[in-house]
Amino acid sequence: MEDQAVCCYRHPQRETGISCTRCERPICPECMISASVGFHCPECVSGRVSAGSGASAAGPPPGAARPRTVAGGTITSDPRLITKILLAVNIAIWLAVLSAGDRLVNDLDLVGRAYDPGVGQIVGVAEGQWWRLVTSVFLHQQLMHIAFNMLSLWWIGGPLEAALGRARFIVLYLLSGLGGSALSYLLAAQNQPSLGASGAIFGLLGATAVLMRRLNYDMRPVIALLALNLLFTFTWSGIAWQAHVGGLVVGTVVAYGMVHAPREKRALVQRGTCALMLLAIVAVVWIRTMQLTG
């Protein structure tokens, strides 16, 4: 029998997979309040839930199911941990670029196949330098570039990580970044370098839209933000639109599989969706490599 959807007790129109760790009533992201362990609902925080109301003031009974996010992830005391780590990694690499200069950028950016006068040879993904598909996602040069991307990561990534859980969030981020790199590799000129976390950020933006639709939130703010970013993508010069579109598509598909997976087959559907996207990325990279080296 299909599980009945669980909705927030304060917002019955919003489905959720998160529960208060004290009274165990379902709560949506808007209602959850961070506690030392998990999240509490506003009534528990204000002390209005009594022992006679059917919920224990001391916490959930022994053996109670551990609260889960809407995607089935574990509720943690720091719902922004992975977001903070990603911020730290991006900033650390940016500082390293400031110290090392163009040589480090030339070794880590995404380029299909091009002659590098610094080393006197042809370099690129087509030459077996597969790491560029990943390292370019964490690479920035200009201050405004990394500032915009990291602010976007903080604003979008934190709530998304809290809603999905740490493992699902990092998988979503990495697959979105790889999706952006793969489409850039496929469609951009082979000697055109690209770098930045924009593909991953667009993936998080697409995932946010999917999540808000799943929870019956007002979609107008995220649609407006997405439309504005796409407008900048296709009207400003010097922007690798391929990375933005690739990240957006992959992030949207992965998030859909994560938050719409039926509970009885949640792990299978979520892993299958991620595996399918990874295979698609590998196929795109292989096709482009054959074009450049065949």
Side-chain angles (χ1 to χ4, degrees):
M1 182 176 65
E2 184 177 355
D3 291 340
Q4 185 177 3
V6 178
C7 298
C8 174
Y9 81 91
R10 300 178 76 239
H11 300 94
Q13 76 280 12
R14 299 177 183 173
E15 295 184 22
T16 182
I18 304 171
S19 300
C20 173
T21 55
R22 293 186 66 182
C23 69
E24 299 183 2
R25 290 183 292 181
I27 51 177
C28 65
E30 181 180 329
C31 297
M32 63 187 189
I33 300 173
S34 296
S36 57
V37 177
F39 297 94
H40 290 171
C41 69
E43 291 187 9
C44 285
V45 171
S46 62
R48 291 199 294 267
V49 176
S50 63
S53 65
S56 172
R66 189 171 185 178
R68 295 281 177 174
T69 68
V70 67
T74 303
I75 302 294
T76 60
S77 57
D78 184 359
R80 288 180 177 261
L81 178 62
I82 300 300
T83 302
K84 294 173 183 176
I85 292 174
L86 290 172
L87 282 166
V89 171
N90 278 276
I91 293 173
I93 295 177
W94 176 65
L95 292 175
V97 167
L98 291 181
S99 300
D102 292 340
R103 184 66 265 155
L104 182 60
V105 174
N106 292 339
D107 289 339
L108 301 180
D109 65 359
L110 175 62
V111 62
R113 193 167 186 261
Y115 178 77
D116 184 351
V119 296
Q121 63 183 29
I122 297 176
V123 300
V125 177
E127 295 299 308
Q129 297 176 342
W130 310 104
W131 67 82
R132 293 177 180 269
L133 295 165
V134 178
T135 55
S136 61
V137 177
F138 297 90
L139 187 64
H140 299 83
Q141 279 185 292
Q142 283 76 29
L143 175 60
M144 288 302 297
H145 190 196
I146 188 172
F148 182 82
N149 279 343
M150 293 305 100
L151 284 173
S152 299
L153 174 58
W154 181 253
W155 288 332
I156 302 173
L160 198 55
E161 180 182 347
L164 297 180
R166 290 174 179 172
R168 290 164 179 81
F169 177 73
I170 188 62
V171 170
L172 170 69
Y173 186 90
L174 293 176
L175 284 177
S176 297
L178 280 172
S181 294
L183 196 62
S184 289
Y185 180 48
L186 177 67
L187 300 180
Q190 66 182 50
N191 61 345
Q192 176 184 315
S194 64
L195 49 83
S198 299
I201 300 300
F202 264 76
L204 299 186
L205 188 57
T208 299
V210 171
L211 179 64
M212 292 181 69
R213 180 68 181 86
R214 173 69 169 78
L215 298 176
N216 293 320
Y217 282 14
D218 184 1
M219 293 291 294
R220 287 173 294 182
V222 71
I223 290 176
L225 181 61
L226 181 57
L228 184 62
N229 277 275
L230 287 174
L231 177 64
F232 290 154
T233 295
F234 290 103
T235 57
W236 283 19
S237 61
I239 293 181
W241 64 266
Q242 300 93 341
H244 293 191
V245 173
L248 177 63
V249 171
V250 172
T252 300
V253 173
V254 170
Y256 191 91
M258 286 183 175
V259 303
H260 286 281
R263 295 182 186 180
E264 65 275 10
K265 297 180 180 179
R266 177 177 281 160
L268 177 63
V269 172
Q270 291 178 345
R271 292 170 184 171
T273 302
C274 294
L276 181 63
M277 287 296 96
L278 182 59
L279 286 174
I281 291 169
V282 171
V284 167
V285 172
W286 180 80
I287 290 171
R288 181 56 169 167
T289 301
M290 293 299 99
Q291 291 177 349
L292 296 180
T293 60

